[in-house]
Amino acid sequence: MADFKFGLFQCFKNVPLLCTAYFAPCFIAGKNAEAAGKSCCVYGFFSMWVPLGTCLRAQVRQEIREQKSIPGSFINDFATHMFCPLCALVQEAQEVTDQQVQPMARE
């Protein structure tokens, strides 16, 4: 069994994806759902309804974990989306697209 390739707080290392999740979380949630075999539009729309959205995003996270053979539970997925939703969305997006974290340019 593997773990997520990117840690929960590695969302800060992928600033463009983090900004997209901040300004358009429904878009990232929909794309994550689509990668898990769900409807992008339906899950993107309903993911913004707080009580229902948290459950739906946790369900998508569970699907992603099952596809990638990542251990965990629905309760942990729910808590992750309840207390750190943006980092959870970014972590899932990185997992399904297998994006490499690009270091920020320093001058």
Side-chain angles (χ1 to χ4, degrees), residues 10-42:
Q10 280 186 321
C11 62
F12 294 105
K13 292 184 179 179
N14 192 333
V15 175
L17 188 58
L18 180 62
C19 287
T20 304
Y22 182 78
F23 290 108
C26 55
F27 175 76
I28 300 295
K31 289 310 229 177
N32 290 348
E34 185 176 56
K38 309 284 185 194
S39 171
C40 177
C41 292
V42 170

Side-chain angles (χ1 to χ4, degrees), residues 10 12 25 27 29-30 33-34 42 50-51 62 75 82 84 90 100 103:
Q10 280 186 321
F12 294 105
F27 175 76
E34 185 176 56
V42 170
V50 175
Q62 182 178 26
I75 293 173
M82 182 65 124
C84 200
V90 171
Q100 297 298 318

